Amino acid sequence: MTPESDTVADRIDTARAEIAPTTALGIFGFGAAITFTLLLLQEPLAHESLHNFRHAAGIVCH
């Protein structure tokens, strides 16, 4: 397959084939934990520290 014919659907199919269900569950759990923590901790200092953590982890948040 050439890069010109690579589509988003092809990439999703490749990810489904290569990512184990336990890995996907771990990724989903990590995302859920961050989301829950951000919703729970809206104190300015906690929010700022988590904001900085998201940037350090490479997560674009705005």
Side-chain angles (χ1 to χ4, degrees):
M1 183 180 318
T2 63
E4 293 84 23
S5 65
D6 191 23
T7 64
V8 174
D10 292 334
R11 292 179 185 184
I12 291 171
D13 289 338
T14 301
R16 283 186 181 145
E18 293 182 3
I19 296 176
T22 53
T23 303
L25 184 61
I27 293 168
F28 178 75
F30 181 72
I34 287 178
T35 301
F36 176 77
T37 303
L38 288 174
L39 290 175
L40 183 68
L41 296 175
Q42 289 298 313
E43 297 288 328
L45 288 177
H47 180 80
E48 267 312 299
S49 67
L50 289 169
H51 179 87
N52 292 337
F53 169 77
R54 288 193 310 272
H55 279 289
I59 300 169
V60 177
C61 53
H62 50 79

